[in-house]
Amino acid sequence: KKLNVKKDSSTLNNLGNIFGDLKDYDRAIYFFNQALKFFGDKSKIYNNLAISYNDIGDLEKLNYCYEQSLKANPNNLVTRQR
């Protein structure tokens, strides 16, 4: 069923987190990618996207997302600790 949601980075990022918690990684990744299309905390979104890629074992995309997270915010302590 199609979800009708407010399209902003925070809402889409939150949906990605919810689907990630439910282990529905395809939907989580979809919503994180949608969130990146809007202005918002791209560092946080890339970090969350990296977690989903880690959970499905895609290390290449995981590393790319962590790099993008640090580019968006070099002071992101959560990403720097990974």
Side-chain angles (χ1 to χ4, degrees):
K1 187 171 183 172
K2 188 172 180 168
L3 293 173
N4 190 9
V5 298
K6 180 181 173 189
K7 292 191 171 152
D8 63 50
S9 64
S10 180
T11 301
L12 295 167
N13 184 59
N14 288 339
L15 284 167
N17 284 328
I18 290 167
F19 283 110
D21 289 345
L22 295 171
K23 301 198 183 322
D24 187 342
Y25 300 114
D26 289 336
R27 283 193 180 149
I29 290 166
Y30 170 80
F31 282 109
F32 291 136
N33 280 315
Q34 292 300 305
L36 288 171
K37 294 178 182 180
F38 296 89
F39 293 103
D41 187 351
K42 290 193 184 292
S43 180
K44 179 179 178 181
I45 297 166
Y46 272 118
N47 188 65
N48 290 337
L49 188 54
I51 293 167
S52 290
Y53 284 127
N54 180 64
D55 289 344
I56 63 171
D58 192 331
L59 299 181
E60 185 176 329
K61 289 182 181 174
L62 160 81
N63 288 328
Y64 172 81
C65 288
Y66 279 146
E67 288 172 10
Q68 295 305 307
S69 178
L70 288 173
K71 279 184 185 177
N73 180 1
N75 298 318
N76 184 332
L77 296 177
V78 173
T79 303
R80 293 181 66 77
Q81 292 174 353
R82 303 262 180 211

